Structure formats: C-alpha cells, structure tokens
C-alpha cells in the first residue's frame, strides 16, 4: 500500500470550498432546528448532511496541509473555544472530560492518522530491511493509533459521555482518508460503517442500562437482544427513529 499526498488543484479547491459552504449551511440549519424547532425533524434531517462533509475535509486537510503540527494546533484551539457553546447546546452533558465536542473527535482522528502514517512509514522500511527498532516503531505507532481511536469509547463507558460521534466519528475520517477517490468502495464502506455504528450504539446503550450485571463484551454479543431493540420501539435504549436517524447522513455521500 502506497500513501501519497494528493496535489492541490484549482478545480479541486473550488469543489472543496463549495462543500465547506454546504456543510456550514446544513450545520446551521441543524442547530437552528435543535434550538428553536425541536419537534420539526426536517431541520435535523438536513443537518445530517454536515458531519460526513466535515469528516471528509479533515481527511483532505490532513493530506494536503503544509504543516500538520499547525493544523492540529488550530483544530485544538477551536475545539477548546467550541466547548463552551457545546455545553450550552447540550445541557445533559456535564462539565467534565467525558463530554467533548466534535472538534475534539476530529483532533483525535488527526492524531490517529498521524500515528498510523508513522507506523506505515516504519513498516515500509521494514519491508526493505529487517530491523528490530523498525518493528517496535511499526507495532508501537499502530497500537497508539488504535488506542486513540477507542479512547472516546472508554470515556463514554466510564462517564456516560465521550467525544461527539465517538469512535465512529474517527473511523469515518479514516474511511474518507483511504477511500475518498473510490466512489463505489466509499459508498459501500460508508453504508457498512453506518450499520456498525448503529449496532455499536445500541450495544453500548444496552450495557449502560445494567453495567453491574454484564460486561461490555457480553452486551455487544447479545445479538438477539440488540436486534430486538433495533426493530422494535423500546424505550429501554432508543426508539426506532433515534437509532436510525443518523443513518440519513448517507445523503451527503453522492
């Protein structure tokens, strides 16, 4: 596998700028609906278009930025600034580390991608010549990347809140990073990851409903119970509309 940074093209830049405008507009519609028209689901449905575009732009930004360090620093700065309005819009999220806004999710994705690439670079060197240090770097960086990916889920299970979109949000950035130019594979991968996210969310909710009597693994492998919650309106976890609502974001893929 060869990973290359894509050259900047004027036409591609214009398309990306248009996508950013669409993402900002649909996000604004979503937030206006959440704040002023909470019962009108059309606003929230339109808002589902925003997240995949932002995730795509993070993947593109990671590939094309002239300084990943400065890119990450800017992302961290805006994540900290955004945390205050995030608390205001999400009153159920308490002021603790367990509830972080989507910018932190993207920052984690950026960090995980950087670790993955560093591990991949060491792996390429390892294929040319065996070296013990390169083995340690390859395994170490890839394990660190995996740790960053699952970190939001650890805080979510422990505190009840992780970063917004959690592990799935990070994986969507990875999806665009690897399959951004492969249309059929991207659509298939997005559909599959969305299905996994739905299943995982229900499994996590099932575990959090009774964490003292089961492990997360037991909850995750309770296939019959999870399928029952998926296809029946059961208030113990989420309603059918709540479970599949985010899947409407697939509208943004075309």
């Amino acid at each position: 596998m060869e990973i290359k940074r894509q050259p900047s093209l004027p036409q591609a830049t214009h398309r990306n700028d248009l996508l950013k405008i669409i993402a900002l507009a649909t996000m604004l519609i979503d937030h206006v609906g959440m704040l002023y028209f909470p019962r009108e689901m059309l606003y929230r449905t339109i808002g589902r278009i925003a997240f995949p575009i932002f995730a795509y732009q993070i993947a593109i930004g990671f590939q094309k930025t002239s300084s990943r360090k400065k890119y990450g620093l800017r992302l961290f700065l805006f994540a900290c600034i955004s945390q205050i309005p995030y608390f205001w819009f999400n009153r159920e999220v308490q002021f603790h580390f367990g509830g972080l806004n989507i910018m932190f999710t993207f920052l984690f994705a950026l960090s995980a991608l950087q670790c993955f690439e560093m591990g991949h670079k060491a792996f390429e060197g390892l294929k040319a010549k065996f070296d013990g240090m390169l083995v340690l770097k390859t395994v170490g960086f890839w394990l660190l990347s995996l740790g960053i990916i699952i970190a939001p889920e650890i805080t979510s299970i422990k505190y009840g809140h992780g970063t917004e979109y959690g592990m799935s949000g990070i994986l969507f950035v990875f999806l665009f990073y690897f399959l951004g130019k492969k249309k059929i594979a991207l659509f298939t991968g997005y559909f599959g990851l969305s299905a996994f996210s739905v299943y995982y969310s229900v499994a996590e909710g099932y575990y959090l409903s009774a964490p003292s009597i089961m492990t997360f693994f037991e909850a995750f492998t309770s296939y019959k119970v999870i399928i029952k919650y998926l296809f029946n309106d059961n208030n113990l976890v989420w309603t059918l509309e709540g479970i599949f609502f985010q899947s409407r974001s697939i509208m943004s893929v075309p």
Side-chain angles (χ1 to χ4, degrees), residues 36-204:
Y36 297 108
F37 309 102
R39 295 185 179 181
E40 296 292 336
M41 299 310 295
L42 177 61
Y43 293 90
R44 306 304 310 280
T45 298
I46 294 173
R48 297 311 91 199
I49 296 174
F51 169 76
I53 298 178
F54 283 121
Y56 171 77
Q57 293 295 337
I58 290 295
I60 294 297
F62 175 79
Q63 292 174 311
K64 293 186 175 182
T65 182
S66 58
S67 174
R68 289 177 178 174
K69 183 180 293 186
K70 292 181 179 179
Y71 186 66
L73 184 60
R74 288 195 300 271
L75 200 58
F76 175 72
L77 176 63
F78 281 102
C80 292
I81 295 173
S82 301
Q83 192 64 16
I84 296 176
Y86 177 71
F87 280 138
W88 185 66
F89 270 102
N90 298 272
R91 301 299 175 85
E92 75 277 7
V93 178
Q94 301 299 316
F95 283 78
H96 54 58
F97 180 75
L100 299 177
N101 67 75
I102 190 65
M103 300 290 281
F104 282 103
T105 305
F106 290 146
L107 182 62
F108 285 1
L110 200 71
S111 302
L113 280 173
Q114 181 64 33
C115 290
F116 173 82
E117 277 207 354
M118 293 174 72
H120 177 74
K121 184 178 180 180
F123 180 70
E124 289 297 315
L126 186 62
K127 288 195 298 184
K129 181 181 179 180
F130 182 83
D131 183 273
M133 184 58 67
L134 289 177
V135 173
L136 290 176
K137 287 183 177 180
T138 301
V139 175
F141 281 123
W142 281 352
L143 285 177
L144 183 58
S145 179
L146 178 62
I148 295 172
I149 292 172
I150 65 175
E153 300 309 316
I154 295 175
T155 61
S156 179
I157 292 173
K158 184 175 181 179
Y159 298 109
H161 294 288
T163 59
E164 195 171 8
Y165 283 89
M167 177 178 66
S168 296
I170 299 175
L171 291 177
F172 276 115
V173 177
F174 269 77
L175 182 73
F176 286 117
Y177 172 76
F178 284 109
L179 303 178
K181 298 297 182 181
K182 301 175 182 178
K183 297 180 182 179
I184 296 178
L186 175 61
F187 189 85
T188 304
Y190 193 94
F191 183 83
L193 183 54
S194 296
F196 169 77
S197 299
V198 168
Y199 183 92
Y200 184 90
S201 296
V202 177
E204 184 178 44

